[in-house]
Amino acid sequence: MAQLGRPTYHAVMDSVPPPVGPGLATALRRGTAALHAQAERSGIVQAILHRQASRAGYALLLRNLLPVYRAMERALVRLGPASAVAGWRRPELFRAAALAADLAALAGPRWRLVLPLLPAGRRYAARVRAAAAGPGTLLIGHAYARYLGDLSGGQVLRRLLGAAPGLGPAELRFYDFPAIADPAALRDELRAALDAAGATLRQPGAVIAEAQTAFRLNIALSGAVLVAVQAPGEE
């Protein structure tokens, strides 16, 4: 799976042709559509959509997403307001604190000891850290895959998780954005920021390739979580 290894910024930027025609937001949507659909049919996410997920499975998913969000949000703060990814430097979007709170509610204060960090989760977080190297341009692909999903499809997952396995508000803060009054307007702002950033990039196609990698990493993690919770001796 060489495509999921650590990216070298200049190698990626030089090897991917730029998209033509649409702005970056539309190009990202089109370029990841098939992978997005695949993600919904894979692993623990498919189980959630079919109301078949367990509390343990959802907790394990969050455990492995937390390092991803921490790496991404630390990089967004570090890169600063002049970077290509500046449009995503919005504290109201950041999810790491909500994830940690949900984990404590789901698995207790010792969640770090009872919920393992899977190899697929480690690979995902490592890729985000690598994408944030240098000017951090490739981080756009990961922010797109995570945050826009949290603001849209994530709200569907929240309702389904409330139904089965019956999680409560204190366990679903990951999908709660109390500082965002109008999620639809924010999504429009983020898409506009994508187009503005894309217009400044020499090789915006590299961002699309990185977003595709982000979806593949999500698919791999989702599958690994489901396998782990279905292993003998697990819930």
Side-chain angles (χ1 to χ4, degrees):
M1 298 177 67
Q3 73 273 21
L4 299 186
R6 293 176 64 84
T8 300
Y9 173 77
H10 291 296
V12 173
M13 296 297 281
D14 290 342
S15 63
V16 181
V20 293
L24 183 58
T26 298
L28 279 165
R29 178 175 55 80
R30 293 176 180 174
T32 60
L35 287 165
H36 192 170
Q38 183 181 346
E40 294 175 347
R41 300 191 300 268
S42 301
I44 191 67
V45 173
Q46 183 182 48
I48 294 171
L49 292 174
H50 289 172
R51 300 190 181 189
Q52 296 172 347
S54 66
R55 181 186 184 93
Y58 181 64
L60 185 59
L61 175 65
L62 295 193
R63 170 66 185 100
N64 283 270
L65 284 176
L66 179 55
V68 172
Y69 280 90
R70 281 180 170 161
M72 185 161 57
E73 289 163 9
R74 287 168 181 166
L76 288 171
V77 172
R78 173 182 58 80
L79 288 166
S83 67
V85 77
W88 301 91
R89 292 180 76 253
R90 294 172 176 263
E92 65 270 28
L93 273 179
F94 289 0
R95 298 290 85 204
L99 275 168
D102 283 353
L103 283 166
L106 286 161
R110 295 167 61 84
W111 59 264
R112 292 176 181 83
L113 301 179
V114 300
L115 296 171
L117 186 56
L118 303 174
R122 294 182 188 276
R123 285 192 294 270
Y124 192 174
R127 180 72 185 213
V128 170
R129 288 191 293 271
T137 304
L138 296 178
L139 193 63
I140 296 172
H142 292 278
Y144 168 83
R146 292 292 348 157
Y147 291 129
L148 279 179
D150 296 339
L151 287 167
S152 52
Q155 303 309 303
V156 175
L157 297 181
R158 178 181 185 173
R159 292 193 294 273
L160 293 172
L161 287 162
L167 303 184
E171 298 160 325
L172 293 168
R173 282 171 281 198
F174 179 40
Y175 303 112
D176 188 15
F177 294 85
I180 297 175
D182 189 343
L186 178 57
R187 289 195 295 269
D188 289 342
E189 290 178 22
L190 292 172
R191 293 185 185 102
L194 285 170
D195 288 343
T200 70
L201 300 179
R202 183 169 60 87
Q203 294 286 9
V207 173
I208 299 169
E210 192 65 22
Q212 292 168 341
T213 294
F215 274 97
R216 293 187 186 103
L217 288 161
N218 273 288
I219 291 165
L221 175 58
S222 182
V225 167
L226 188 62
V227 168
V229 296
Q230 291 180 341
E234 299 291 337
E235 292 187 24

